[in-house]
Amino acid sequence: MPRGSRRLPARCVESIGEAFSELIGLPARDPNGRSLGRVYEARGHWEGDGTIVIDELLIGRHGLLRRLRGPGADTGVPWASVVDLDRERILVRV
């Protein structure tokens, strides 16, 4: 997934599921290297042109609790806060 891109091309549902599942479980850190926990969920929506836009990530204990509670007033970490991403970790500006 390109850095800074929120869009995932919807070539097929399997590839979208794989892209989302690659985020789950990644350790998240702030720019100073402080651990924020792991990614528990990635949330997004479909666009009219057939792409998925990632809106937010649920990270750490608070993210897990939110995931278990379901939708609510509080929000996760906006995808726009993601500074860098690779297969080892995700860097988030908090």
Side-chain angles (χ1 to χ4, degrees), residues 3-58:
R3 182 179 158 201
S5 172
R6 293 177 47 210
R7 294 181 176 273
L8 299 174
R11 281 167 262 167
C12 67
V13 174
E14 291 88 22
S15 66
I16 297 303
E18 288 173 21
F20 267 69
S21 67
E22 286 179 18
L23 294 172
I24 306 306
L26 279 179
R29 300 199 173 278
D30 71 9
N32 296 321
R34 184 175 65 97
S35 175
L36 302 175
R38 294 192 175 272
V39 176
Y40 286 100
E41 187 168 314
R43 295 187 172 173
H45 66 274
W46 288 96
E47 289 284 308
D49 63 357
T51 58
I52 290 183
V53 176
I54 299 174
D55 296 318
E56 65 180 0
L57 301 173
L58 301 184

